[in-house]
């Protein structure tokens, strides 16, 4: 049976970058598969309908041209199935692609996808699960989720600098809260400003909040920032870009397969998408996703 792949494009990804290069990427992929479906959708519902149609016809691989929002929707579709996910990053953050070692350069990323398709090369990675929702990168609650909410509302600047400005704006308003962190190994109760549960290490366009997270070890890395004031947070921020924040006295790190956050009503985001508010329970599902490469 021939190789059946689909290229999913979110036209708005990367301020329209995905739409501009979709035809070129599709042409390159078409030379290396027996069938390629080009799926362009502006909403998750449209995307799911197109994906279901391709899946019914025996889809082998789904290649996503877009950013973390598009990747998140693709993970919902591919998780727990035999459909392998490939990424060609063209969004703002591209954190899942970064964590998986996908080249940031579009032609190089397409080359990597083509090589994996031709060699039928795939590997399995873990995913996080909250109820019926899967995530590939980081679930965050507290200050960082509030920053995510603010960044999503901002139209300027583009790229990771938008996240940096959202951090500065939230510093003026955010207060620490009591949080209870229960895992299958530990239990913490403390005043804190954020908790991040990482399947992979990056969020916010390359911030290594859980710098040692490995999506192949069956465990989350958990980073909890305790009762740090504004001045202390400001001093900690430069270390976020390098992962040095985990050595700060206010930071606690844990590793666990299951995590529950409770004790407040912080906003919760995963893969940059809103998932309600605390309390929230999260499970790491080993090998839930097949990825090309």
């Amino acid at each position: 049976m021939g190789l059946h792949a689909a290229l999913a494009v979110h036209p708005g990804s990367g301020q329209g970058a995905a739409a501009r290069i979709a035809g070129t990427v599709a042409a390159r992929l078409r030379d290396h598969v027996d069938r390629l479906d080009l799926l362009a959708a502006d909403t998750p519902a449209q995307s799911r309908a197109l994906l279901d149609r391709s899946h019914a016809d025996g889809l082998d691989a789904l290649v996503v041209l877009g950013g973390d929002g598009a990747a998140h929707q693709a993970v919902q579709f591919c998780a727990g199935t035999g459909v392998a996910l490939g990424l060609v990053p063209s969004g703002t953050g591209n954190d899942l692609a970064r964590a998986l070692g996908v080249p940031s350069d579009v032609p190089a990323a397409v080359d990597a996808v083509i090589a994996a398709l031709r060699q039928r090369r795939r590997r399995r990675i873990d995913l996080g699960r909250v109820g019926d929702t899967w995530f590939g990168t980081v679930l965050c609650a507290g200050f960082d989720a509030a920053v995510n909410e603010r960044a999503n509302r901002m139209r300027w600047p583009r790229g990771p600098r938008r996240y940096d400005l959202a951090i500065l704006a939230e510093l003026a308003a955010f207060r620490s809260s009591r949080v209870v962190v229960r895992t299958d190994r530990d239990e913490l109760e403390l005043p804190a400003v954020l908790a991040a549960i990482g399947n992979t290490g990056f969020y916010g366009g390359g911030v290594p909040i859980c710098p040692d997270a490995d999506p192949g070890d069956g465990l989350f890395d958990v980073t909890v920032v305790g009762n740090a004031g504004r001045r202390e947070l400001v001093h900690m921020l430069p270390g976020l870009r390098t992962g040095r924040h985990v050595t700060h006295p206010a930071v606690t790190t844990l590793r666990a397969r299951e995590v529950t956050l409770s004790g407040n009503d912080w906003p919760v985001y995963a893969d940059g998408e809103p998932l309600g508010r605390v309390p929230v329970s999260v499970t790491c599902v080993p090998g839930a996703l097949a990825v090309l490469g």
Side-chain angles (χ1 to χ4, degrees):
M1 183 179 294
L3 182 60
H4 177 192
L7 175 65
V9 182
H10 188 299
S13 290
Q15 306 296 326
R20 290 191 294 272
I21 61 177
T24 301
V25 173
R28 291 200 58 205
L29 292 175
R30 216 170 253 121
D31 289 337
H32 302 281
V33 297
D34 296 284
R35 170 177 167 180
L36 181 74
D37 301 336
L38 180 57
L39 314 177
D42 291 307
T43 68
Q46 290 175 349
S47 178
R48 185 70 194 213
L50 293 171
L51 286 167
D52 285 343
R53 191 177 307 162
S54 287
H55 194 209
D57 291 339
L59 187 64
D60 298 300
L62 173 63
V63 180
V64 172
L65 176 61
D68 284 316
H72 177 76
Q73 294 304 323
V75 164
Q76 309 313 304
F77 173 79
C78 293
T81 74
V83 179
L85 176 64
L87 299 175
V88 179
S90 63
T92 301
N94 304 316
D95 286 313
L96 182 58
R98 180 180 288 105
L100 297 181
V102 176
S104 58
D105 176 70
V106 168
V110 175
D111 286 343
V113 166
I114 289 171
L117 287 170
R118 293 178 64 182
Q119 298 169 27
R120 302 289 180 118
R121 192 174 67 243
R122 56 175 64 192
R123 60 190 170 106
R124 288 210 163 260
I125 66 167
D126 310 333
L127 291 176
R129 189 164 192 175
V130 183
D132 293 331
T133 301
W134 301 90
F135 68 93
T137 59
V138 178
L139 180 143
C140 59
F143 176 77
D144 45 0
V147 167
N148 211 325
E149 281 189 323
R150 182 178 291 271
N152 286 347
R153 295 193 300 267
M154 296 168 65
R155 293 296 174 262
W156 182 91
R158 297 177 180 178
R161 287 292 298 165
R162 181 171 62 185
Y163 189 83
D164 293 337
L165 289 184
I167 287 174
L168 295 177
E170 280 300 322
L171 280 171
F174 200 83
R175 299 290 185 276
S176 64
S177 297
R178 169 182 166 270
V179 65
V180 180
V181 184
R182 292 189 178 91
T183 79
D184 48 303
R185 301 179 174 198
D186 303 280
E187 180 170 338
L188 298 175
E189 182 174 351
L190 72 164
V193 295
L194 69 85
I197 302 170
N199 179 55
T200 56
F202 301 100
Y203 70 176
V207 176
I209 187 66
C210 301
D212 296 323
D214 178 355
D217 64 2
L219 297 170
F220 293 126
D221 280 26
V222 183
T223 299
V224 182
V225 179
N227 191 18
R230 286 194 193 97
R231 181 173 296 181
E232 201 166 6
L233 278 174
V234 168
H235 289 157
M236 196 184 301
L237 290 178
L240 283 174
R241 286 289 177 187
T242 63
R244 293 197 311 270
H245 61 284
V246 296
T247 65
H248 192 282
V251 175
T252 301
T253 59
L254 307 168
R255 306 190 77 220
R257 188 180 301 274
E258 298 178 355
V259 185
T260 296
L261 303 178
S262 61
N264 58 56
D265 65 345
W266 282 342
V268 176
Y269 272 65
D271 288 346
E273 302 295 318
L275 284 185
R277 307 188 81 85
V278 170
V280 62
S281 294
V282 187
T283 301
C284 181
V285 183
L289 179 69
V291 295
L292 295 174

